[in-house]
Amino acid sequence: MAYFCTQIPVLLNPGVACIKSFHQYRFLHIKAMQDDKVSTPTPSDECMVRVPHVLTVAGSDSGAGAGIQADLKACAARGVYCSTVITAVTAQNTVGVQGVNIVPEDFVAEQLRSVLSDMHPDVVKTGMLPSIGIVKTLCQSLKEFPVQALVVDPVMVSTSGHTLAGPSILDSFREELLPMADIVTPNLKEASALLGGVPLETIADMHYAAKAIHDIGPRNVLVKGGDLPASLDAVDVFYDGKDFYVFQSSRIMTPNTHGTGCTLASSVAAELAKGSQMLSAVKVAKRYIEAALSYSKNIAIGGGRQGPVDHLLKLKSNVQRRPFDPCDLFLYAVTDSRMNKRWGRSIVDAVKAAIEGGATIIQLREKEVETSDFLEAAKACLKICRVHGVPLLINDRIDVALASDADGVHIGQSDMPAHVARALLGPDKIIGVSCKTPEHALQAWIDGADYIGSGGVYPTTTKENNKTIGLDGLKTVCLSSKLPVVAIGGIGTSNAQAIMGLGVPNLKGVAVVSALFDRECVLTETRKLLEVLKESTK
Ligand SMILES: Cc1ncc(COP(=O)(O)OP(=O)(O)O)c(N)n1
Ligand SMILES: Cc1ncsc1CCOP(=O)(O)O
Ligand SMILES: [Mg+2]
């Protein structure tokens, strides 16, 4: 028998493992099955959870801010298992790099074979690859043991200026490794080196570099602008071969930045291993590194100028939740206690019925309940939502979202600013922002929102003094943004089809209050709306 206890696979025979999904969660649950060759141990044959797994192929940093050590900590902080193939051992600290000892190529190959042939990582992330032979060995191993994704951090020079992979490596990067990569994450110096030494000094240069590096072969490129000379803000440019995305955030003033590159790439790898799409993985990884830098602001380790990042976020972040999926917005049920009271049901019963009817996300919009009642309702609803894998958001009240550990919040233009909500809620929680204009939508993106709620599309009596933007207004907001959008305002079975028929790819669903909750039977109304929505997407 092969067995798995609680969360960690004890033994896995991939040839016989049966894989199924559970509550829409992307973590794979693997049922222990008969295997003659393995006889012990013999616990119960419950379904066990396979932990998402990143293999890092990188150098060891004795100071543990960067390299293998950063990768291990970042993956642990993101709830992902990390195995390690060590390419070099460096002697370094917060002052600089004192020595480098390269691991012989055949021993790197042996480590790769050990891990890849047995443990089947989901994603491979590379850091310091100090010789052409090691690059070639890695590429060969990945051809023999393919993985879901390859994340390449093209490490060349340490933060203190020490060369970790010389220029001789560039050809093998360009010809062999980058064409296999799903994403490559160079800083400005590395991007310049990959492009033959072109100077890169502006955000326009970063766009150029992202495209030129994409032409070498990786599926996605993230050019990191931490070293931009004139910029106060931290700007990164992401290119997926079609669209550019600019990530801009204010710089966190801290000397403790050693390891940020490794940490970002590992976090992208971790999110991919959990099942995120590339853009979501990059967004969450960026939020995580920002939070880590912020937590590291005041830690004092070593006497040098560059202290390490505090990866483990004081173990505060809750990372076991499944990532936000824009498809969750499909049938978005927004509660209203006045309506539920009128029909003699509690918030909890209303939420239960909406979920049973097919709601894909719930927002508690309780304008009139006492805070303590709101919190109790949120906790009770969260239990139900978790069982069904349906995210639960709180309208307006960041405090209630934090106290109940709900999955996120929905906030409007006059509520707490989204960037403040993001700072309070951390990188993982879902944040939706109401937007009536492209300007609102741009700000929502900059502030770290996960989705936009746009409306009122049609007149509504649920929200007073709310300007109606119509289908045209909705379409304008959708087309102006890369964020997923849910339409709201006066929507029900009679007009949901017209909305979904707009045909804009980022319009993911409809958010509805009265058409579900100002009715006698929430279950029936939700089912009817679900049918209309399904019909309109056929
Ligand atoms: C999904 C969704 N979209 C928009 C809103 C409106 O939020 P806001 O503008 O903050 O107005 P109130 O809901 O607070 O009255 C929403 N709640 N949900
Ligand atoms: C909260 C909100 N924001 C814009 S319109 C609206 C109310 C939507 O309610 P209904 O679905 O009953 O029209
Ligand atoms: Mg609000």
Side-chain angles (χ1 to χ4, degrees):
M1 285 271 226
Y3 297 102
F4 306 88
C5 64
T6 58
Q7 299 243 306
I8 310 290
V10 174
L11 283 168
L12 167 57
N13 181 338
V16 294
C18 136
I19 298 171
K20 64 178 185 176
S21 68
F22 177 63
H23 293 329
Q24 304 169 351
Y25 280 74
R26 293 187 187 116
F27 296 121
L28 301 178
H29 290 237
I30 301 176
K31 186 144 174 66
M33 294 184 75
Q34 199 68 41
D35 177 356
D36 292 339
K37 283 174 246 144
V38 187
S39 55
T40 56
T42 55
S44 74
D45 64 349
E46 300 301 303
C47 269
M48 306 314 253
V49 179
R50 184 172 187 275
V51 178
H53 180 167
V54 169
L55 161 63
T56 171
V57 183
S60 158
D61 168 5
S62 53
I68 287 280
Q69 289 80 355
D71 299 341
L72 278 168
K73 288 186 280 183
C75 285
R78 302 302 308 152
V80 168
Y81 186 81
C82 183
S83 53
T84 58
V85 164
I86 299 183
T87 57
V89 181
T90 70
Q92 62 179 304
N93 53 24
T94 61
V95 179
V97 180
Q98 290 80 44
V100 176
N101 205 331
I102 297 178
V103 174
E105 200 178 300
D106 54 353
F107 198 67
V108 172
E110 193 165 340
Q111 294 176 71
L112 281 165
R113 201 172 315 111
S114 295
V115 177
L116 290 168
S117 67
D118 171 52
M119 299 171 82
H120 306 282
D122 302 295
V123 177
V124 167
K125 176 258 164 188
T126 69
M128 178 179 175
L129 300 173
S131 73
I132 297 172
I134 288 178
V135 177
K136 286 186 184 301
T137 298
L138 172 64
C139 293
Q140 194 48 47
S141 302
L142 289 173
K143 281 176 195 149
E144 200 178 333
F145 301 102
V147 291
Q148 274 172 36
L150 172 63
V151 176
V152 173
D153 183 19
V155 172
M156 288 174 204
V157 181
S158 75
T159 21
S160 58
H162 197 100
T163 299
L164 299 173
S168 61
I169 216 82
L170 285 170
D171 282 346
S172 58
F173 271 14
R174 282 190 288 251
E175 284 158 23
E176 299 192 51
L177 188 62
L178 293 197
M180 294 176 78
D182 291 279
I183 182 167
V184 58
T185 61
N187 60 27
L188 285 182
K189 283 190 197 118
E190 291 155 354
S192 167
L194 286 169
L195 297 174
V198 290
L200 299 174
E201 287 164 0
T202 64
I203 295 172
D205 292 345
M206 291 168 71
H207 281 78
Y208 158 79
K211 186 156 188 336
I213 293 171
H214 185 268
D215 288 344
I216 299 173
R219 252 69 66 217
N220 299 274
V221 182
L222 179 69
V223 180
K224 299 171 293 186
D227 296 332
L228 270 183
S231 148
L232 281 178
D233 279 351
V235 176
D236 296 344
V237 172
F238 174 73
Y239 181 60
D240 62 8
K242 194 164 141 270
D243 292 316
F244 288 98
Y245 300 79
V246 176
F247 298 102
Q248 189 154 1
S249 53
S250 33
R251 260 179 213 280
I252 295 154
M253 293 307 181
T254 171
N256 298 321
T257 57
H258 181 48
T260 46
C262 310
T263 304
L264 180 67
S266 295
S267 310
V268 171
E271 293 310 307
L272 293 175
K274 288 184 210 169
S276 282
Q277 300 291 309
M278 185 61 79
L279 178 60
S280 309
V282 170
K283 276 163 56 175
V284 172
K286 277 203 51 68
R287 285 181 208 153
Y288 166 65
I289 190 74
E290 279 163 31
L293 281 167
S294 176
Y295 277 114
S296 316
K297 263 198 302 236
N298 304 321
I299 57 174
I301 295 180
R305 285 194 309 157
Q306 274 210 313
V309 175
D310 175 9
H311 296 86
L312 297 175
L313 295 186
K314 300 184 177 149
L315 296 176
K316 270 186 187 164
S317 80
N318 184 346
V319 293
Q320 295 299 352
R321 209 158 291 153
R322 82 178 164 90
F324 171 65
D325 180 344
C327 296
D328 292 334
L329 301 174
F330 192 55
L331 200 173
Y332 188 142
V334 183
T335 67
D336 181 311
S337 47
R338 257 181 317 129
M339 295 176 192
N340 285 320
K341 215 182 260 167
R342 195 176 306 147
W343 291 97
R345 59 175 99 87
S346 67
I347 303 172
V348 176
D349 286 341
V351 166
K352 266 188 201 155
I355 291 178
E356 202 183 330
T360 53
I361 190 165
I362 304 285
Q363 179 191 137
L364 300 188
R365 181 176 178 272
E366 300 301 335
K367 300 286 187 184
E368 289 173 6
V369 298
E370 299 290 339
T371 299
S372 56
D373 293 338
F374 197 173
L375 180 56
E376 284 320 304
K379 285 183 183 164
C381 291
L382 192 61
K383 279 195 189 137
I384 299 156
C385 286
R386 288 276 153 82
V387 168
H388 293 88
V390 171
L392 178 77
L393 308 186
I394 306 293
N395 178 277
D396 293 350
R397 299 285 300 270
I398 315 294
D399 56 342
V400 174
L402 281 168
S404 63
D405 196 27
D407 297 302
V409 294
H410 186 93
I411 45 185
Q413 294 297 321
S414 53
D415 297 319
M416 184 173 295
H419 68 96
V420 180
R422 174 59 71 207
L424 290 169
L425 292 169
D428 294 301
K429 299 283 184 189
I430 303 167
I431 297 185
V433 176
S434 304
C435 298
K436 286 184 190 293
T437 64
E439 292 72 27
H440 290 166
L442 176 61
Q443 193 60 48
W445 166 266
I446 292 169
D447 286 351
D450 293 291
Y451 77 88
I452 285 170
S454 193
V457 178
Y458 300 112
T460 177
T461 49
T462 304
K463 185 171 165 64
E464 279 175 12
N465 304 322
N466 188 54
K467 190 175 155 235
T468 301
I469 62 169
L471 282 177
D472 287 346
L474 172 66
K475 194 169 181 180
T476 306
V477 168
C478 291
L479 292 176
S480 74
S481 182
K482 304 252 162 74
L483 284 170
V485 179
V486 62
I488 188 166
I491 302 171
T493 47
S494 64
N495 54 19
Q497 198 148 19
I499 290 187
M500 299 310 281
L502 268 183
V504 269
N506 57 334
L507 179 58
K508 298 295 181 190
V510 296
V512 178
V513 188
S514 53
L516 301 185
F517 297 109
D518 210 3
R519 298 287 187 276
E520 187 171 6
C521 183
V522 175
L523 172 61
T524 309
E525 300 305 325
T526 317
R527 276 189 184 145
K528 278 201 263 178
L529 183 59
L530 181 65
E531 282 316 306
V532 173
L533 288 171
K534 280 190 189 158
E535 201 53 43
S536 66
T537 48
K538 269 185 188 160

